[in-house]
Amino acid sequence: AIIGGGEGATLREILKHSTVEQAVMIEIDEGVVSLSKDYLPEWQDCSSIAHHKGRDAWCFNDTRADARFEDAMAYFTDNFSPKQDDTDDDSESPYEVIVMDCLDPNDNVEFAEFLYTSDTYIQSLYHALTDDGILVVQVGASPKVDQAADETGGFVNRSEMMKKLNEYGFKSIHIYDESHSGFFASWSTLLAFKDAETRERWYRSSAEIELDLSRRILPTKEGKSSLRYFDGATMKGYQVPGKQFEAVYCRQEEQPQECNDKFKLLNGSSSYSPVLERHAIH
């Protein structure tokens, strides 16, 4: 499922995977899709895979795309809150992957705060995933090396979300940054694994990733990969967070112990720690 993403770029990339059977996109404002179609057509352009059966040049016409125009927070809390009766015949099935592509955590609007800090909503995301499910969240611009800690700076919502993800049961949390998002800065993406064993796939070698991509990514008419920037070598770069994440993390008011002794806690908590990720041997 995609939360937000009305401009279509997240859906476009997901549909390039032949293994995807259904891509549900829950966008509160249908006008975002229409506006983007007119002014950001490349973000909804699936022409590179349109020659495959069931595919279409306009991503939203792909037979696997299921665009729903409603409040995603209400959808998840109504259907996947811990208080919901999962024996109901009309209950929604859990998702293997949920991608949250909506407001940035530092946006100065009340709704953004709820998206990143609401206990009920974050719990519902956990319960909306299969047992080995993965939550992917775009968490705004990547930090600078001299930036204040998230909890005391402009990204307090990002900091709160990480704490709550760990509190409500996610077993492994990672962040990476990407410079090809088309913005004026590198952008950060958070991944939360519901099952610790699933994270093993995160640390695969470049060769293993390339083999997997060759099997699952729909090729262009010319037989080339439909992915523009991503490959095995790129994925290897995602596996270890940049030094700026470690620097900002260690500026917390209550400095984590591993900031002073990087090698003592390599087998410690599975919660988010760029220090342990950067210095551990995977």
Side-chain angles (χ1 to χ4, degrees), residues 91-140:
S91 62
E92 294 275 332
S93 298
Y95 296 95
E96 294 177 312
V97 179
I98 296 174
V99 180
M100 191 167 121
D101 179 21
C102 34
L103 296 172
D104 299 336
N106 58 319
D107 283 344
N108 189 26
V109 292
E110 188 177 13
F111 188 59
E113 181 177 349
F114 281 119
L115 279 170
Y116 290 90
T117 66
S118 167
D119 291 271
T120 303
Y121 173 59
I122 293 174
Q123 277 186 292
S124 72
L125 293 179
Y126 179 85
H127 290 285
L129 287 165
T130 56
D131 290 341
D132 58 352
I134 302 172
L135 174 66
V136 183
V137 185
Q138 75 85 8
V139 287

Side-chain angles (χ1 to χ4, degrees), residues 178-190:
E178 167 58 56
S179 59
H180 294 108
S181 301
F183 306 131
F184 294 108
S186 293
W187 225 248
S188 296
T189 300
L190 175 151

Side-chain angles (χ1 to χ4, degrees), residues 14 40 60 81 84 92 100 113 120 124 142 149 167 177 186 188 194 199 220 237 239 253-254 273:
I14 287 172
L40 293 169
F60 288 89
S81 168
Q84 295 300 314
E92 294 275 332
M100 191 167 121
E113 181 177 349
T120 303
S124 72
S142 298
E167 179 182 345
D177 67 329
S186 293
S188 296
K194 195 171 178 179
R199 64 172 278 173
T220 64
Q239 291 173 358
E253 291 183 347
E254 293 185 18
S273 173

Side-chain angles (χ1 to χ4, degrees), residues 225-264:
S225 173
S226 52
L227 301 176
R228 295 178 63 188
Y229 299 109
F230 187 81
D231 57 15
T234 303
M235 178 65 192
K236 288 296 292 182
Y238 291 162
Q239 291 173 358
V240 179
K243 190 173 183 180
Q244 73 272 28
F245 290 101
E246 178 180 343
V248 169
Y249 175 81
C250 288
R251 292 196 182 102
Q252 296 181 66
E253 291 183 347
E254 293 185 18
Q255 191 180 63
Q257 186 178 349
E258 65 266 29
C259 292
N260 294 314
D261 193 345
K262 296 180 176 63
F263 303 101
K264 186 177 181 180

Side-chain angles (χ1 to χ4, degrees), residues 30-44:
E30 187 173 359
V32 174
V33 176
S34 301
L35 195 66
S36 298
K37 187 177 183 182
D38 291 335
Y39 295 98
L40 293 169
E42 67 277 11
W43 289 36
Q44 302 179 7

